[in-house]
Amino acid sequence: MTACIRILLLVILLLHLALQQPSVGIPVLAFSSSSPQQPQRRPQAVALPSSPDDIVKQAASAITRAFAEGNINKQTIRLPLSESMYSAKEEGFVADRAIGWQGGPKETIRYLSPLVSSVLKGVRTSDNTAGLVAKVSEQILLDFDGSTLQTAEHPAGALYDVQALLQPNTDGYYLKTIAAIEEQFSDTEGKTKRLFLLVNPAWRDRSSWGFFGGAKAQELILDRYATTYALDQFVVRGEKVSLLKSWPDDWAVYVSRNDASADKACLVTTFKNRPEYKDIDAVILANR
């Protein structure tokens, strides 16, 4: 009997010691990149622009800061292409993507081109301007793609010039064009880096390039061109949503209610990275 009691006490002691030890060999679950992002509880962001002039000033400021403070000389920017913003029409909420527009990229370039020219004139790569504004010229690349190359000649000299490639798509021609611009303009070996912008590219992420082109695009474009300014507009559950990125701030989600009492967009949350549709959808549901 005594031996049994001793064995029982020994078993209890071993169990007690085992519970005190940290667990070993049990994997810790982590959220993958595909998991929904957590929105900020107390969002703070730059104001949503309400006019083309506001967009120009805000975009130029974000691009300038990213270049001067963040040393980011290769940038991606996305500007809204709602026809109502650039004409006398009062109505016309249109998503920023060229897909679905009547006339396609050849139509959207008519609105995008003058907007980008104004942005380039507002970008400051040097304070030595002598009161002069950069001279912007434009070269048509592929007319059927609606793609162009704009060059802003800085008053202080070519060292401070800026180039912008408008509406490139996933065709191999643009990979070659971007590589050539980097070699001859933005990242010429032995010379000071200059600012080069990709404006409203047709791709969104790696999947846009297909199975075979994704890896190359990730290496040459997606990992090297940071989005410093973007204003995307779309509709989620009947709500007009504006997704704003202005360097160095996070992505901000603004919602415009469709009822007559709501006369301006409200900031509902921000995200560290560009949110997916499911993230925005969850925010819309939570704020109803």
Side-chain angles (χ1 to χ4, degrees), residues 145 167-175 201-210 213 217:
D145 279 345
Q167 298 193 154
N169 59 42
T170 56
D171 189 272
Y173 165 81
Y174 293 104
L175 285 179
W203 57 82
R204 282 288 170 181
D205 51 34
R206 179 169 175 162
S207 64
S208 302
W209 298 81

Short mmCIF file of all heavy atoms in Angstrom, two decimals, residues 145 167-175 201-210 213 217:
data_model
loop_
_atom_site.label_atom_id
_atom_site.label_comp_id
_atom_site.label_asym_id
_atom_site.label_seq_id
_atom_site.Cartn_x
_atom_site.Cartn_y
_atom_site.Cartn_z
N ASP A 145 -2.96 52.49 -76.78
CA ASP A 145 -2.95 52.24 -75.34
C ASP A 145 -3.24 53.50 -74.53
O ASP A 145 -3.43 53.43 -73.32
CB ASP A 145 -1.58 51.70 -74.90
CG ASP A 145 -1.43 50.21 -75.16
OD1 ASP A 145 -2.46 49.55 -75.41
OD2 ASP A 145 -0.30 49.71 -75.11
N GLN A 167 -0.27 55.65 -67.91
CA GLN A 167 -1.09 54.52 -68.33
C GLN A 167 -0.32 53.36 -68.98
O GLN A 167 -0.75 52.82 -70.00
CB GLN A 167 -2.23 54.98 -69.24
CG GLN A 167 -3.20 55.93 -68.58
CD GLN A 167 -4.49 56.15 -69.37
OE1 GLN A 167 -5.52 56.49 -68.78
NE2 GLN A 167 -4.46 55.97 -70.68
N PRO A 168 0.78 52.94 -68.39
CA PRO A 168 1.44 51.74 -68.90
C PRO A 168 0.61 50.51 -68.55
O PRO A 168 -0.14 50.52 -67.57
CB PRO A 168 2.78 51.73 -68.15
CG PRO A 168 2.48 52.41 -66.85
CD PRO A 168 1.48 53.48 -67.19
N ASN A 169 0.74 49.46 -69.34
CA ASN A 169 0.02 48.22 -69.02
C ASN A 169 1.01 47.06 -68.92
O ASN A 169 2.23 47.28 -68.85
CB ASN A 169 -1.09 47.94 -70.04
CG ASN A 169 -0.56 47.82 -71.46
OD1 ASN A 169 0.48 47.20 -71.71
ND2 ASN A 169 -1.28 48.41 -72.42
N THR A 170 0.52 45.84 -68.92
CA THR A 170 1.37 44.68 -68.66
C THR A 170 2.08 44.15 -69.90
O THR A 170 2.75 43.13 -69.83
CB THR A 170 0.54 43.54 -68.03
OG1 THR A 170 -0.56 43.22 -68.91
CG2 THR A 170 -0.01 43.96 -66.68
N ASP A 171 1.94 44.82 -71.01
CA ASP A 171 2.64 44.40 -72.21
C ASP A 171 4.16 44.51 -72.00
O ASP A 171 4.64 45.43 -71.33
CB ASP A 171 2.22 45.28 -73.40
CG ASP A 171 2.76 44.76 -74.73
OD1 ASP A 171 3.89 45.14 -75.09
OD2 ASP A 171 2.05 44.00 -75.39
N GLY A 172 4.92 43.60 -72.59
CA GLY A 172 6.37 43.60 -72.44
C GLY A 172 7.03 44.89 -72.91
O GLY A 172 8.12 45.24 -72.46
N TYR A 173 6.36 45.60 -73.80
CA TYR A 173 6.89 46.87 -74.31
C TYR A 173 7.15 47.84 -73.16
O TYR A 173 8.16 48.57 -73.17
CB TYR A 173 5.89 47.48 -75.29
CG TYR A 173 6.13 48.94 -75.60
CD1 TYR A 173 7.09 49.33 -76.55
CD2 TYR A 173 5.40 49.94 -74.96
CE1 TYR A 173 7.31 50.67 -76.82
CE2 TYR A 173 5.62 51.27 -75.23
CZ TYR A 173 6.57 51.63 -76.16
OH TYR A 173 6.79 52.97 -76.42
N TYR A 174 6.28 47.83 -72.16
CA TYR A 174 6.41 48.80 -71.07
C TYR A 174 7.51 48.40 -70.08
O TYR A 174 8.15 49.28 -69.48
CB TYR A 174 5.07 48.99 -70.37
CG TYR A 174 4.07 49.66 -71.28
CD1 TYR A 174 3.05 48.93 -71.89
CD2 TYR A 174 4.16 51.02 -71.58
CE1 TYR A 174 2.16 49.53 -72.77
CE2 TYR A 174 3.27 51.63 -72.46
CZ TYR A 174 2.27 50.87 -73.05
OH TYR A 174 1.41 51.47 -73.93
N LEU A 175 7.73 47.11 -69.92
CA LEU A 175 8.86 46.68 -69.10
C LEU A 175 10.17 47.17 -69.71
O LEU A 175 11.07 47.66 -69.01
CB LEU A 175 8.88 45.16 -68.96
CG LEU A 175 7.85 44.54 -68.02
CD1 LEU A 175 7.98 43.01 -68.02
CD2 LEU A 175 7.99 45.07 -66.60
N PRO A 201 -0.98 53.01 -63.72
CA PRO A 201 -0.67 51.78 -64.45
C PRO A 201 -1.88 50.85 -64.46
O PRO A 201 -2.71 50.88 -63.55
CB PRO A 201 0.49 51.18 -63.65
CG PRO A 201 0.34 51.74 -62.27
CD PRO A 201 -0.21 53.12 -62.45
N ALA A 202 -1.95 50.02 -65.49
CA ALA A 202 -3.11 49.13 -65.63
C ALA A 202 -3.10 47.99 -64.63
O ALA A 202 -4.14 47.40 -64.35
CB ALA A 202 -3.16 48.57 -67.05
N TRP A 203 -1.92 47.66 -64.08
CA TRP A 203 -1.85 46.55 -63.14
C TRP A 203 -2.22 46.99 -61.73
O TRP A 203 -2.10 48.16 -61.36
CB TRP A 203 -0.46 45.94 -63.15
CG TRP A 203 0.64 46.92 -62.83
CD1 TRP A 203 1.06 47.35 -61.61
CD2 TRP A 203 1.45 47.61 -63.79
NE1 TRP A 203 2.09 48.25 -61.73
CE2 TRP A 203 2.36 48.43 -63.06
CE3 TRP A 203 1.52 47.61 -65.19
CZ2 TRP A 203 3.30 49.24 -63.70
CZ3 TRP A 203 2.46 48.41 -65.80
CH2 TRP A 203 3.33 49.21 -65.06
N ARG A 204 -2.63 46.02 -60.92
CA ARG A 204 -2.95 46.26 -59.51
C ARG A 204 -1.98 45.52 -58.59
O ARG A 204 -1.55 46.03 -57.57
CB ARG A 204 -4.38 45.84 -59.20
CG ARG A 204 -5.42 46.83 -59.65
CD ARG A 204 -5.40 48.06 -58.79
NE ARG A 204 -6.23 49.11 -59.36
CZ ARG A 204 -6.38 50.31 -58.80
NH1 ARG A 204 -5.75 50.59 -57.68
NH2 ARG A 204 -7.14 51.22 -59.37
N ASP A 205 -1.69 44.28 -58.96
CA ASP A 205 -0.79 43.47 -58.16
C ASP A 205 -0.16 42.42 -59.07
O ASP A 205 -0.29 42.48 -60.31
CB ASP A 205 -1.51 42.81 -56.98
CG ASP A 205 -2.78 42.08 -57.41
OD1 ASP A 205 -2.78 41.53 -58.53
OD2 ASP A 205 -3.74 42.05 -56.64
N ARG A 206 0.53 41.48 -58.46
CA ARG A 206 1.24 40.46 -59.23
C ARG A 206 0.31 39.66 -60.14
O ARG A 206 0.70 39.27 -61.25
CB ARG A 206 1.98 39.53 -58.26
CG ARG A 206 2.75 38.40 -58.92
CD ARG A 206 3.65 37.71 -57.92
NE ARG A 206 4.32 36.55 -58.49
CZ ARG A 206 5.39 35.98 -57.96
NH1 ARG A 206 5.91 36.46 -56.85
NH2 ARG A 206 5.94 34.94 -58.53
N SER A 207 -0.90 39.41 -59.69
CA SER A 207 -1.83 38.60 -60.47
C SER A 207 -2.20 39.25 -61.80
O SER A 207 -2.60 38.57 -62.74
CB SER A 207 -3.10 38.33 -59.65
OG SER A 207 -3.81 39.55 -59.39
N SER A 208 -2.06 40.57 -61.89
CA SER A 208 -2.39 41.27 -63.13
C SER A 208 -1.48 40.86 -64.28
O SER A 208 -1.84 41.01 -65.45
CB SER A 208 -2.27 42.79 -62.93
OG SER A 208 -3.12 43.25 -61.89
N TRP A 209 -0.30 40.33 -63.96
CA TRP A 209 0.68 39.99 -64.98
C TRP A 209 0.58 38.53 -65.43
O TRP A 209 1.34 38.10 -66.30
CB TRP A 209 2.09 40.24 -64.43
CG TRP A 209 2.34 41.68 -64.10
CD1 TRP A 209 1.95 42.33 -62.95
CD2 TRP A 209 2.99 42.65 -64.90
NE1 TRP A 209 2.33 43.64 -62.99
CE2 TRP A 209 2.97 43.87 -64.18
CE3 TRP A 209 3.60 42.61 -66.15
CZ2 TRP A 209 3.53 45.03 -64.69
CZ3 TRP A 209 4.17 43.77 -66.65
CH2 TRP A 209 4.13 44.96 -65.93
N GLY A 210 -0.32 37.78 -64.86
CA GLY A 210 -0.47 36.40 -65.26
C GLY A 210 0.54 35.49 -64.58
O GLY A 210 1.44 35.95 -63.85
N GLY A 213 4.33 36.02 -66.03
CA GLY A 213 4.95 37.34 -65.93
C GLY A 213 4.99 37.91 -64.53
O GLY A 213 5.62 38.94 -64.28
N ALA A 217 7.57 40.85 -62.98
CA ALA A 217 6.96 42.13 -62.63
C ALA A 217 7.17 42.48 -61.16
O ALA A 217 7.39 43.64 -60.81
CB ALA A 217 5.46 42.09 -62.94
#
